[in-house]
Amino acid sequence: MKDMRSISFKKGKLFYLDQTKLPLVEKWQECSSIAQGYRIIKLLKIRGAPLIGVFAAYCLAVSAEKFAAKKDLFLKQATYAISHLKASRPTAVNLFWALDRMQAVLTNNPDKDTDSLKKLLLKQAALIHSEDVALCKNMGRFGVSLIRPGDRILTHCNTGFLATSGNGTALSVIYEANKKYKDIEVFIDETRPLLQGARLTAWELCRKKVPCRLITDNMSAYCMQQGLIDKVFLGADRITANGDVANKIGTYSVAVLAKYHKIPFYVVAPFSSFDLNLNSPGSLPIEQRNPDEIRKVFNRVYIAPRNVKSYNPAFDVTPGELITAIVTDKGIIYPPFNKNIPKILEK
Ligand code: MRU
């Protein structure tokens, strides 16, 4: 069977599928240092909120093998490594959540020597990994109850096994639905500028044999107007206590369109994507990326004058009032989100 994973940890080594090469080439590479890990995340060779967290945790654990044997120097190197990895991408809170768990291993074991700390870091990374696989299963299990036979579902960006270390967030729901009802169909936004929909989601769904159609981002309004879309399912990079959702740029437009056309709009995310310290749309950190990503098609061919100014926010914020419900690994959360988010997440 073809590989349906995004990372693998074998015999003390961390490997990842380079997503910038998909769908043309399936190339697995090794990551063995913090400098490599930073670049791999920054350049989107691995991406997707939950996967970034799992990958960063493993990256720290494998890199720690080369840190100094002397405890104070080891701790200094580990602290620098954690802050450097955290600086790679600002929006997905899962990165910070996973690295804070790794930091806690160091902080909570002051009496351990460096060899024991290395083992504990590895154990924690493996735990974060196996938990992520389980979270994906639970989101799929809860979310499938929202789907009916024959549903035509619009999705945005990539939220599947390439964005997590399990089956995905929104795509986990879609995979469950596809097992249950053979007649669902997925409409995939291509997701400019980096084309995660066209390159990654279309590749995943074809590989998983889920009926799907690729559309450009500016076709979703027309598809909704034509009655071709029954529901929207997509993921999240960070969710506030009020249910405001930072997700791939273009999510907000889809939410506004869904509201106008009275189409249910569902966000699917694990508890690790919530940031309950934040409670307003403006408080969500939005990553600004290289303007060349807009001037070129997928970082290769210029499609605009090289000297034209461009603006490239990688994420946008969808206010909670546009969201029908948030599917989590602990259950489905309906509005009012400020009351129901803490209630469900405390479970
Ligand atoms: O820039 P990316 O490709 O990392 O953005 C990914 C998304 O926006 C996903 O929708 C999100 O991480 C949630 S799904 C796992």
Side-chain angles (χ1 to χ4, degrees):
M1 194 174 70
K2 292 258 195 183
D3 229 341
M4 299 213 200
R5 280 174 309 164
S6 44
I7 57 166
S8 123
F9 184 74
K10 265 191 222 145
K11 298 186 181 152
K13 291 186 174 186
L14 173 61
F15 299 93
Y16 65 96
L17 179 59
D18 184 344
Q19 298 191 24
T20 59
K21 303 223 178 322
L22 289 173
L24 302 179
V25 180
E26 285 175 47
K27 189 164 185 181
W28 283 85
Q29 307 263 43
E30 189 184 349
C31 170
S32 58
S33 73
I34 297 297
Q36 281 175 0
Y38 175 88
R39 272 180 64 77
I40 290 162
I41 299 173
K42 179 102 195 149
L43 299 179
L44 272 59
K45 287 173 178 290
I46 70 105
R47 28 71 49 209
L51 184 63
I52 295 172
V54 177
F55 181 81
Y58 269 131
C59 175
L60 179 74
V62 295
S63 307
E65 290 300 326
K66 291 184 231 147
F67 292 170
K70 242 178 118 216
K71 177 102 179 255
D72 55 346
L73 207 54
F74 178 93
L75 289 178
K76 233 183 186 171
Q77 286 173 319
T79 306
Y80 168 77
I82 289 173
S83 65
H84 190 54
L85 289 172
K86 279 185 176 178
S88 58
R89 296 196 74 190
T91 302
V93 72
N94 315 61
L95 173 67
F96 302 85
W97 170 84
L99 288 172
D100 285 345
R101 279 179 63 168
M102 300 298 276
Q103 176 66 60
V105 168
L106 302 171
T107 316
N108 298 340
N109 292 287
D111 302 331
K112 298 274 196 261
D113 61 17
T114 54
D115 277 342
S116 314
L117 286 177
K118 285 180 200 169
K119 285 193 189 114
L120 289 174
L121 286 174
L122 208 49
K123 209 168 151 192
Q124 186 65 219
L127 187 64
I128 292 171
H129 184 181
S130 59
E131 281 176 17
D132 186 49
V133 175
L135 297 178
C136 290
K137 272 200 189 122
N138 286 343
M139 286 181 275
R141 203 163 50 83
F142 284 119
V144 75
S145 65
L146 299 168
I147 296 183
R148 297 288 163 262
D151 268 353
R152 290 145 316 159
I153 300 162
L154 178 71
T155 194
H156 191 70
C157 196
N158 172 264
T159 63
F161 65 81
L162 293 172
T164 63
S165 47
N167 245 351
T169 58
L171 285 195
S172 173
V173 174
I174 284 168
Y175 292 142
E176 280 304 305
N178 184 58
K179 275 193 239 157
K180 202 167 164 187
Y181 316 110
K182 282 294 163 205
D183 56 353
I184 64 158
E185 187 178 14
V186 182
F187 283 69
I188 311 166
D189 277 349
E190 66 173 349
T191 318
R192 270 284 285 157
L194 295 183
L195 304 172
Q196 287 93 332
R199 294 186 305 105
L200 308 177
T201 300
W203 179 81
E204 267 204 50
L205 294 185
C206 289
R207 181 155 286 200
K208 289 258 195 185
K209 300 194 175 12
V210 178
C212 60
R213 283 187 218 200
L214 181 63
I215 58 172
T216 61
D217 296 333
N218 52 4
M219 290 175 189
S220 42
Y222 180 71
C223 291
M224 288 184 185
Q225 191 185 45
Q226 293 296 302
L228 294 174
I229 307 292
D230 300 300
K231 279 156 200 170
V232 177
F233 276 83
L234 38 69
D237 281 76
R238 199 185 283 236
I239 305 177
T240 69
N242 288 336
D244 307 312
V245 170
N247 192 48
K248 180 50 56 194
I249 190 76
T251 299
Y252 175 45
S253 347
V254 175
V256 172
L257 289 171
K259 185 82 171 179
Y260 181 80
H261 291 96
K262 301 188 174 51
I263 294 169
F265 181 93
Y266 298 109
V267 171
V268 187
F271 80 93
S272 51
S273 297
F274 285 78
D275 185 346
L276 301 184
N277 299 317
L278 305 182
N279 57 15
S280 69
S283 58
L284 283 154
I286 299 297
E287 177 182 7
Q288 301 293 326
R289 291 187 63 85
N290 187 336
D292 258 351
E293 290 179 351
I294 307 284
R295 290 188 285 253
K296 292 179 177 177
V297 175
F298 192 54
N299 280 334
R300 291 197 182 111
V301 184
Y302 276 100
I303 49 161
R306 285 166 197 247
N307 59 350
V308 70
K309 275 192 191 164
S310 82
Y311 174 51
N312 188 12
F315 299 93
D316 59 24
V317 178
T318 299
E321 69 200 56
L322 297 180
I323 298 168
T324 310
I326 305 175
V327 178
T328 74
D329 52 289
K330 294 177 193 288
I332 302 175
I333 311 181
Y334 289 94
F337 291 127
N338 59 348
K339 282 210 183 100
N340 293 338
I341 287 176
K343 226 192 270 170
I344 299 259
L345 291 194
E346 273 157 22
K347 264 191 196 171

